[in-house]
Amino acid sequence: MVQRIGGWVRRMMRRVRSDHGMTTSEYAVGTIAACAFAAVLYKVVTSQPVMSALQSLVKDALDAKF
């Protein structure tokens, strides 16, 4: 029984570790998607409402009474 479970675990690990079929174009698409997400996140964080919320959060944290 233990040998069957060990064999199953080894087969699953081999299947999880392999990345057959990954091509350069897939890596390129993933990189472009990550850059697009970073650009959107930058725009959101640097927008005026978010900037003022972050500034007030930092100000409140620095003015906290202990």
Side-chain angles (χ1 to χ4, degrees):
M1 180 70 170
V2 173
Q3 289 177 343
R4 286 181 57 193
I5 293 173
W8 180 81
V9 169
R10 281 191 293 278
R11 285 192 305 275
M12 289 297 117
M13 291 301 289
R14 266 188 252 125
R15 195 175 296 169
V16 168
R17 288 183 188 160
S18 68
D19 67 338
H20 296 290
M22 291 294 287
T23 61
T24 305
S25 62
E26 290 171 324
Y27 287 115
V29 169
T31 303
I32 290 170
C35 290
F37 180 71
V40 169
L41 187 61
Y42 176 77
K43 284 291 190 182
V44 168
V45 170
T46 57
S47 68
Q48 190 57 40
V50 175
M51 290 277 286
S52 63
L54 288 174
Q55 286 174 349
S56 70
L57 181 71
V58 170
K59 182 178 180 246
D60 291 344
L62 293 176
D63 290 340
K65 303 266 192 258
F66 290 102

